[in-house]
Structures are given as C-alpha cells and as structure tokens.
Amino acid sequence: MSLLGHLSLWLAFLVGLWGAITGFVGGAQHRPDLQQSARNATFALFGALLVAVISLEIAIFRHDFSLQYVAGRTSRNLPTFYLWSALYSGQEGSLLFWAAVLSLFGALTQLFTSRRHRAYLPYVAAITSLVATFFVSVMLFAPANPFQRAAFTPLDGSGMNPQLQNPGMVFHPPMLYLGYISITIPFAFAMAALLTKKLDADWLVAVRKWTIVSWLFLSIGLLIGMWWAYVELGWGGYWAWDPVENAALLPWLVMTAFLHSVMVQEKRGMLKKWNLALVLGAWLLSIFGTFLTRSGVIASVHSFTQSPVGYFFLAFLVVAAIACAIVYIKRLPLLEAESTLESVVSREASFLFNNLLLIGLAFSVLWGTLYPIISEWVQGVKVTYGPPTFNFVNIPLGLVLLFLTGIGPLIAWRRASTTNLRRQFAVPVTVGVFMLLILLVAGMRELGALLAFSIGAFVFGTVFQEFARGARARHRQYGESTGFAVLQLLSRNRRRYGGYIVHIAIVLLFVGFAGMAFKTETEATLRPGESAELRGSDGHLYTFTHLGISQYNALNRQVTAALLDVRRDGKDIGRLRTEKRQHVDALGNPTFEPSTEVGIMSGLRVDLYVVLAGLVNGTEQAVFRFTINPLVWWVWFGGFVLVIGGLIVLWPGGVVVAVKGSKASPAQAGYAVKLEAER
Amino acid sequence: MTAGTKFALGAVLIVGSVGYLMASGIKQTGQYFLTPSELAQRVSADPSFYDLGLKVGARVVPGTVSKETATQTLRFNITDGTVNYPVIFKGLPPDTFTDSVEVVVEGRLQKDGVIHATNVLAKCGSRYEAVPKA
C-alpha cells in the first residue's frame, strides 16, 4: 500500500506540473487543446492524491507500523474514531490532506464554474495545480513524506497525543483546512482576471461566492478550535492570541473586509485596486500562516517539530508574493475607479472605514505575532506581545468595528441626508442608550463590557428594524403574516438578510467575549466531604463539594476521576466530574504526560469550569481549580448563528436581479440593495 | 473640504489610533523575553532591573523540582547551561511540566535572586507528536 501511495505522490507531482504549464501556456496562446489538457490535469491530480490519501488511511487502519508516520501518530489501542483524524494529526499527513483537498477544490471549480466565467478557467486550473504541486513537492523533497518507511517496524505505535483525542480535533483541522485551502480558489480567479485582463464586474461574482465559502469554513474551523481549547486545554478560556490562532484569524479578517468592500465595487465601481489587493493578500496570509505553523519560527502550542519544511514555505511565500506584486502592478492602469466618494456620511465611506479597521486589526495581529522576532532584530532583545497587549489594541478597534456594523447597512449610498439618518437611526440609538443606562444603574462599571453590550444593543436594534420594516412592507403589499413575511425576506433576498443574521451573530459573539471580563476563579485543596465556595458574576454563590476519587482503566488510559457536588445558593444543581488521564500503550506503559479532562456545567448565564490539578501524595485529597466563566454559552450560540447566516447567504437561488456592471442607480438606504445572483 | 479630504482625515485618524494603540500597548504590557544569561547581564548592568515583569525561557534543572501539593507551591531551578535561577511558583503547572522540560517562566526577579513566577508554560517543540523513546 505504501508503495502505491508513494508512487501516486510522484504521479501527482508530474500531473500537477503538466496542468500548471498547459494552463498558463494554453491561456496565453489561446490554444483549446492545451486548455482542455489543463482541465483534465486537475481531475487526474485529484485522482492521484485521492489514491495517496486512501493508501495512507489503509495503512493507518491496518496498523502498518513499518511507516514512520503511522508508528509515530497511532497505536493499536487508539479508538477507531481517532484513526481517521490520524490522517492529519501530523506534519506529513496534513500536507497530504492539504494537497488532496486543494486538488478537490480545483477539480470542482473546473466542473461547476458557470459558462460566463469560462475564460478564466485555464489560468485557474494552472494556479490551483501549481499550488497543489508545491505541497506535493514539499512531501517529496523536504522531505516530509507520509509514506517514509521506518528503520525498523515497532510492535506498537507510540500513540496519539491525548490532547488530540477529543471530538473537536476530528472536525477542527479539516474545517480550518477547508477554509484555508479554499482561499486559493478566489485567489486563482483574481490572478486569472489579472492575467486575462478581463477585469470587469464578472470576475467579482465568481470570486465573491468562493470567498464566502472559504470565509464560512474558516469561521467554523476557528469556532471549533476555540471550543476545543476551552474544553480540552483546561486553562479556562478559548482564545489566547497564540501565533497559530492569529494565523487563521488574519485571512479571516481580510476576507471579511473584502466581503464588505466588494459591495462598494458592485454598486459604485470604486475600490477595484483595493479589492484585488485584499484577495491576493488573504491568500498570501494563508500561506504565511502555514509557514508559521510548520516552521517552528515562533513558539506556539500548535507548532510541529522544527523541520526544513519551513524553508520551502518561506521560499514559496517570497516567490508568490513577488509574482503577485508584478502581475498586480502591471494591471493597475486597468483598475481605475469609475466614480468618486461624494460624502463621508455615506455607505461607501462607512464600508471604507470598516475596511480600514479590519485591515488595521489584521495588521496589529500580524505585528504582534511577529513582534518577538522583530524586536530581537531591531533591539537585540526579545520583547513579547502577549494577550494583554493584543487585548489592549484589539478591544477598542473591535468595539469601533462593532459600531460600524450597525451603521453600514442603514446609511444611504452616495450621500446620506439628515432625514435619512434620523429615520434610520432614531430607534437603534435609543435602544443602545437605554441598554447603557440599564447597565449603569445595575452597577456595571467595566468600560469595555459596557460599550460592548450597549453597542451590541444598538446593532441588534438596526437589524431588528430592518426585518420589521421589510416584513411590514411585504405585509402591506402581499398581505403576508409577519412570520411568513420574515421567511420570505430571508429566502428572496438571501445575501442581504443572511448578512444581517451574521451581524446578529457578531453581536452575540461580542456579548460572549465581553462576559470574560467578569470571570471569577479560585483554587482549593479538598479532602472528600470538604467544600470550596466561589461567587459568580451572576450574583449566586456556588459551593463545590469534593465527593471522592475513583481510579480505573479505560481503553487506552488510566483514569483518575474526581466527582463534585455543586450547589447554587445551597440548592443542589448537579454534579461535575473532572479527570486526570494517563495514556498508556497496549502493554500498559505510560505514553505522553498526563492530561486533564475539564468538568464543565454550561448555562446561559455562567459556565462552571473545574479542573482536577492533582492528588496530594496519592490520597483522596485533591487540588482543584474552579472558574466561573460568564456568558461563554453565547459564544457557541453566536457561532451557530453565524454559520446559519453564512449558509443563507451562500444558498443558491433567490431573486435574480441583473446587475448592470458598475453603473448602478443611486440606491435608497436600506431598501434597494440589489441582489446580484448568478445563474 | 471635499469628501475625499474628509475621508483621508478619517483614515489618518484610524491608522494613527491603530499605531498609537500598538505602541502604547507594547510599552504598557510588553515583556522582555530573556534567557537566564541575558537576565544576569541586564541585572548586573542595571540594578533597577529587579521587580520588572518579564519572561524567561530556559530548561528545568533535573532533580530540582519540589512540589508541595497542599500549598500548591512549586520550586525548581532553571538554566540555559551557564546561569542558573531558582523559581518559585504558586499555582497549577501545566500537564506537560516535568523535570528537564523547556519552560517559559513569566514573573518578576526579586532582590533575593529568586524569580517569583506568575505563570509557567511548558514548551515542547514536538508537543503534538510522541516523544521519541531514547
């Protein structure tokens, strides 16, 4: 099997190169035969990589420990569920997974791109093949070959890191990868548009849909990653500004910026240069992020072992950035704006400010991630840019951005009149101010949280008002009931109302983030029967009583579990269980360091979060850390709403309104957003 | 004033505040990241370097770890091969903390020559891959 896998990697390498060459040459010389060949190459590339993936999975499931990769990542007693994720739990396998998924996207793009975007396809084929070939070449030449044979075949593998043995880890990497990898498709279209000089409104349509796809996958990946960090790592939070988290956030921010600024180009024919730069930038950042993760340049919880793979990525990044810059600069004359900004009190301007903030955020995150390296170069001493610094910079920026989330959708295009402003903002602003007053009276004094909650209320007010007005209009015109009218709004105008739902999700996420300002924490050493008390920010007093320790063996681990009785203001609300796990191999020898299973009781207002830190000298006396995290539930709920909103935007169909290039008629605020949908 | 100029003013305001936030953020919350040798050098060059928030990256000296579970106090020494610093930490060490692991200690060096840590991170380059058996 491993020979077949190895051979198919070589085949993929050659086919990918062929696809890249025929695509570029066929596109440049308008040769249909070569273009067809490039298209076929994307299918063959996917076929070859699929065979490689299947070979590796078979080796994993057969416990073929003659392969270094299989021996180093799995063991005989690893639960079957995690044998699947072993495919991408290590450097080599994840490179293969990456290349395979990219080739799948490449092939799908060739199959499903609508007729009117055909002109871009040869170049798109060339670029997706080229990028996938790069990943294959890393496996073959770095080398990071998943089919590398071990010097000898061990009886059992060394097992999977226990922290990866969590359901979140089965879904988080593929989702994140899907997002990360699919950025290549809008990038390929943007490059194709630059190379073919077909830079009219057409390419935007193709790019926008694909950008939403990868934005959505990336969002899901980030959210599952946050959830995993929260339930598995046991430090009580879900976001630590770790370099690799940042690496995934960077393209997300840039794509979010693009999804907004693209509307300005559609409506007003402005920002063409900016939009192209965002698409190219998002992709370069995704490669940069991959480089960060895989090179070990920056210490991170995610980093793989330091390896020559990093140099490959660095070289690729540099070459790609130069190539992008050359093509982009050459085509700048074709990207002149068709109209100018008429007023700063307009939707264009508010989207521009939104873009600046998003890019500012991205820049500060990038700067902070690289700061240890930069400061070492410049000052000769490493200065860290830790979570406090990130929060210091990004919380204010995030709050202003949240505010613009409310402004953008309601303000008129071109120039907003005073009447327009009063009509659109009277109610939402009242809602926001009202929320602020309530919180102040309730005694809240945390500035960041106060702003987050009241701006959130304002944004919620704007979205609610939009739905209410839309539904009322439909009710008047068609006599639909309110509920049905809302559904009709959603289904007939997916992009706009789906977008509003995403905005609601962002508000919910901010509410959850702001909740963390009120977390309370205590540590205690308890004998069975003893209790610890902790007051949550919801005002209740929680009592945790240590009931006892039980120790037993499970499939691949020795478990030490502590059971706690939980009372809220003296009333029993249930039990919590937290574990220390020592993973073992098939012979019962310990592998890895012990890991912690967090006990979590999740609620709308607070999460009770308990970590068993250890036992005192092997007795039942145990050390616990108790944390009460307010509003964390709303982060997950907000994430769920975000995905729903994204899916609504993405769902094919809806009302088809022909878009007239960029010569759009002046639109009335809020109402006449034309949906540009493709056939 | 044209709309373009007004917008440029707004843009400058945003870019300026991002820059300002970043600069003052680093000034207020950034921490030195040093090796024990660098720390020793700094301290001997500038005696006011004590009681300053910093991070020290080093290796735990095998055999120096003493854990007092009841008071949750952890004592150990760290070294980079040349200079050795004792560390005292009250709290829960991470799961990956052991004797001889690479650590990042966050805290303050006090006049007594001991680093009073507020946080201990165990660093391990191959964290998600099995430790090769020697």
Side-chain angles (χ1 to χ4, degrees), chain A residues 158 161 228 301 305 342 344 352-353 356 364 367 371 381-384 389 392 523 525 580 593-596 613 623, chain B residues 3 7 11 14 21-22 24-26 28-34 69-70 72 92 95 98 125 127-130:
Chain A
S158 38
N161 186 306
W228 169 76
V301 290
T305 324
E342 289 177 24
V344 268
L352 280 169
F353 288 128
L356 276 177
S364 90
W367 181 258
Y371 198 74
V381 56
K382 241 186 209 180
V383 176
T384 62
T389 323
F392 184 93
E523 283 169 15
T525 307
K580 226 12 183 223
E593 303 302 326
S595 65
T596 308
V623 184
Chain B
F7 173 75
I14 290 179
L21 281 171
M22 279 173 24
S24 59
I26 290 167
Q28 290 185 21
T29 55
Q31 291 178 322
Y32 284 107
F33 188 102
L34 304 165
T69 320
Q72 290 160 42
L92 309 176
D95 285 343
T98 50
R127 190 148 162 209
Y128 288 138
E129 285 163 26

Side-chain angles (χ1 to χ4, degrees), chain A residues 90-164:
Chain A
Q91 170 93 279
E92 296 85 357
S94 66
L95 286 170
L96 175 59
F97 182 70
W98 185 296
V101 173
L102 178 55
S103 67
L104 172 65
F105 277 127
L108 288 177
T109 316
Q110 294 296 323
L111 281 179
F112 293 112
T113 299
S114 70
R115 203 164 277 280
R116 57 182 229 231
H117 301 134
R118 281 284 150 83
Y120 301 124
L121 285 183
Y123 286 112
V124 171
I127 288 160
T128 52
S129 300
L130 189 63
V131 178
T133 309
F134 164 71
F135 278 86
V136 175
S137 68
V138 173
M139 278 184 273
L140 289 174
F141 307 121
N145 191 334
F147 299 104
Q148 181 66 45
R149 294 199 162 271
F152 65 95
T153 306
L155 281 174
D156 194 2
S158 38
M160 182 182 283
N161 186 306
Q163 286 174 327
L164 299 183

Side-chain angles (χ1 to χ4, degrees), chain A residues 615-650:
Chain A
L615 305 182
V616 181
N617 306 324
T619 64
E620 282 199 81
Q621 189 181 12
V623 184
F624 295 99
R625 187 172 66 227
F626 302 99
T627 312
I628 300 183
N629 291 323
L631 305 177
V632 173
W633 186 87
W634 294 89
V635 174
W636 317 133
F637 180 62
F640 176 73
V641 175
L642 183 109
V643 173
I644 298 293
L647 283 175
I648 290 175
V649 173
L650 206 53

Side-chain angles (χ1 to χ4, degrees), chain A residues 546-551 559-564 576-580 599 610-612 615 620 622-624:
Chain A
H546 179 26
L547 296 178
I549 298 287
S550 53
Q551 287 184 313
V559 179
T560 303
L563 200 60
L564 295 137
L576 268 172
R577 172 196 167 87
T578 159
E579 296 177 2
K580 226 12 183 223
V610 184
V611 173
L612 171 64
L615 305 182
E620 282 199 81
V623 184
F624 295 99

Side-chain angles (χ1 to χ4, degrees), chain A residues 180 240-250 288-289 292-293 298-302 365 368-370 372 390:
Chain A
Y180 238 60
W241 298 107
D242 179 88
V244 173
E245 294 168 359
N246 296 346
L249 184 65
L250 287 171
F288 171 75
L292 269 194
T293 334
I298 290 178
S300 146
V301 290
H302 294 71
V365 172
T369 310
L370 294 179
F390 279 108

Side-chain angles (χ1 to χ4, degrees), chain A residues 433-450:
Chain A
V433 171
F434 198 63
M435 175 62 102
L436 181 66
L437 290 177
I438 290 178
L439 293 174
L440 279 174
V441 170
M444 191 186 282
R445 291 295 178 270
E446 290 276 338
L447 183 64
L450 274 174

